Amino acid sequence: MSRPHELDALIGYHLRRASSVVMADLAERLSGLGLRTTEAAILVVLSAEENITQSEIGRRLSIKRANMAPLIAALIARGLIVRGKPIGRAHPLTLSRKGKTLGASARTHMDEHDADFFGNLPVDQQKQLVGILSRLWRHEADA
Amino acid sequence: MSRPHELDALIGYHLRRASSVVMADLAERLSGLGLRTTEAAILVVLSAEENITQSEIGRRLSIKRANMAPLIAALIARGLIVRGKPIGRAHPLTLSRKGKTLGASARTHMDEHDADFFGNLPVDQQKQLVGILSRLWRHEADA
DNA sequence: TATTGTTATACTCTATAACTATA
DNA sequence: TATAGTTATAGAGTATAACAATA
């Protein structure tokens, strides 16, 4: 069992450990769908807004263009994402029927996951937490 | 610039993004010392408690035994950590003079980093935040 | 037998550099 | 020239499996 130590005094340390545990749990739940967390995030973003480009998705999720290429290619190869007619070099992306279904399923898993980890917190604490966390990253989020 | 999207409704998403930004900043600060975040964490843990084994350090930081081996080997090769006489296969570890200095310096950077990101929060919010975050990971922390 | 240390290996995420194609 | 997409490559963290050495 892990004992407390020096680093417990650092808030950032708890942030890192918490994120690690929470993300590992989400990854495990999504693995049942054959999706990694990044792939699921892409499907969910596309579920809510179609015909955006892979670069645009990358911008929203802070995934670099170079890393989006193989991600999108794999999702297209699996028949989850479809490319529309190019505008310049950019392709508007949409979800296939299969992609929509899988995206919705991923979203359900995410919601349950989030509720399991944070649902027991009072709503005001939830809001405060989101306020603190989102302020931490929104500043640096111009990737 | 990044726009809000579907995933904003998930607290875990903000947790992940925040951790990512905060850790990237820490990594950048520590790179000036020639340390990665994991290496710095090891030095800081050893600063506070000497003569523990690498497996024990791994247990506290949730770093697997197999991954501790090359980490410790590199720190020994750099003359930062010294192995004591083995007890069975286990070696009690201590910091060299150089390791102590570097560990202290790393700790200072970590403190400044933490203060920069969280120091502006009211103390009661800091405590509440640590409470929430530490509860999230302490359950699953039996690595 | 249980624990420590080690090696090999693989996966995921992230990062930069350099290139092509198109508006 | 700026943006989109691609490829290659590397670094960092994490994971499992298998093995040797020692109490």
Side-chain angles (χ1 to χ4, degrees):
Chain A
M1 63 213 95
S2 78
R3 289 175 40 202
H5 54 71
E6 272 294 289
L7 300 177
D8 283 328
L10 300 167
I11 302 179
Y13 176 68
H14 295 282
L15 179 64
R16 186 199 179 293
R17 294 293 300 264
S19 173
S20 175
V21 165
V22 171
M23 286 306 293
D25 178 88
L26 180 62
E28 199 190 335
R29 298 192 195 211
L30 292 174
S31 72
L33 300 180
L35 292 173
R36 290 170 296 170
T37 54
T38 41
E39 294 172 327
I42 290 169
L43 295 186
V44 170
V45 167
L46 262 180
S47 298
E49 188 179 2
E50 302 228 289
N51 290 310
I52 55 180
T53 66
Q54 66 185 58
S55 286
E56 181 57 30
I57 297 172
R59 241 171 262 123
R60 313 228 174 152
L61 297 173
S62 285
I63 300 172
K64 295 238 178 306
R65 227 168 59 240
N67 296 325
M68 285 301 294
L71 282 168
I72 295 296
L75 294 172
I76 290 173
R78 288 170 64 183
L80 302 173
I81 286 182
V82 179
R83 280 200 163 133
K85 302 203 166 150
I87 303 171
R89 284 216 80 188
H91 300 259
L93 300 178
T94 54
L95 291 173
S96 69
R97 192 163 187 76
K98 202 167 133 198
K100 280 197 179 86
T101 306
L102 198 55
S105 192
R107 180 56 202 249
T108 300
H109 279 73
M110 288 180 183
D111 288 339
E112 288 175 3
H113 159 85
D114 219 60
D116 286 350
F117 276 97
F118 305 102
N120 58 330
L121 291 176
V123 175
D124 61 312
Q125 278 190 41
Q126 289 185 23
K127 292 196 174 171
Q128 193 175 69
L129 181 57
V130 168
I132 292 170
L133 295 175
S134 63
R135 257 175 279 131
L136 284 172
W137 69 266
R138 288 220 185 268
H139 298 294
E140 307 246 1
D142 297 290
Chain B
M1 59 210 94
S2 77
R3 288 177 37 202
H5 53 71
E6 271 296 289
L7 300 177
D8 283 329
L10 299 166
I11 301 180
Y13 176 69
H14 295 282
L15 179 63
R16 186 199 178 292
R17 294 292 301 262
S19 174
S20 175
V21 164
V22 171
M23 287 307 293
D25 178 88
L26 180 61
E28 199 191 334
R29 297 192 196 211
L30 292 173
S31 71
L33 300 178
L35 292 173
R36 288 169 297 169
T37 54
T38 41
E39 294 173 327
I42 291 170
L43 295 185
V44 169
V45 168
L46 262 180
S47 298
E49 190 179 3
E50 302 227 289
N51 290 311
I52 55 180
T53 66
Q54 66 186 60
S55 285
E56 182 57 30
I57 298 172
R59 242 172 263 121
R60 312 225 175 154
L61 297 173
S62 285
I63 299 173
K64 296 239 175 308
R65 229 166 61 242
N67 296 323
M68 285 300 295
L71 282 169
I72 295 296
L75 294 172
I76 289 173
R78 287 169 65 182
L80 302 173
I81 285 183
V82 180
R83 278 198 165 134
K85 303 204 164 149
I87 304 170
R89 286 216 77 190
H91 299 259
L93 300 177
T94 54
L95 291 173
S96 69
R97 191 166 191 73
K98 201 167 131 199
K100 280 197 179 84
T101 306
L102 198 55
S105 191
R107 180 57 201 246
T108 300
H109 279 72
M110 288 180 184
D111 288 339
E112 288 175 1
H113 160 84
D114 221 60
D116 285 350
F117 275 96
F118 306 102
N120 58 330
L121 290 176
V123 175
D124 62 312
Q125 278 192 40
Q126 288 184 22
K127 292 196 173 169
Q128 193 175 68
L129 182 57
V130 168
I132 293 170
L133 295 175
S134 62
R135 255 174 282 131
L136 284 173
W137 68 266
R138 288 220 185 271
H139 298 291
E140 306 247 3
D142 297 288

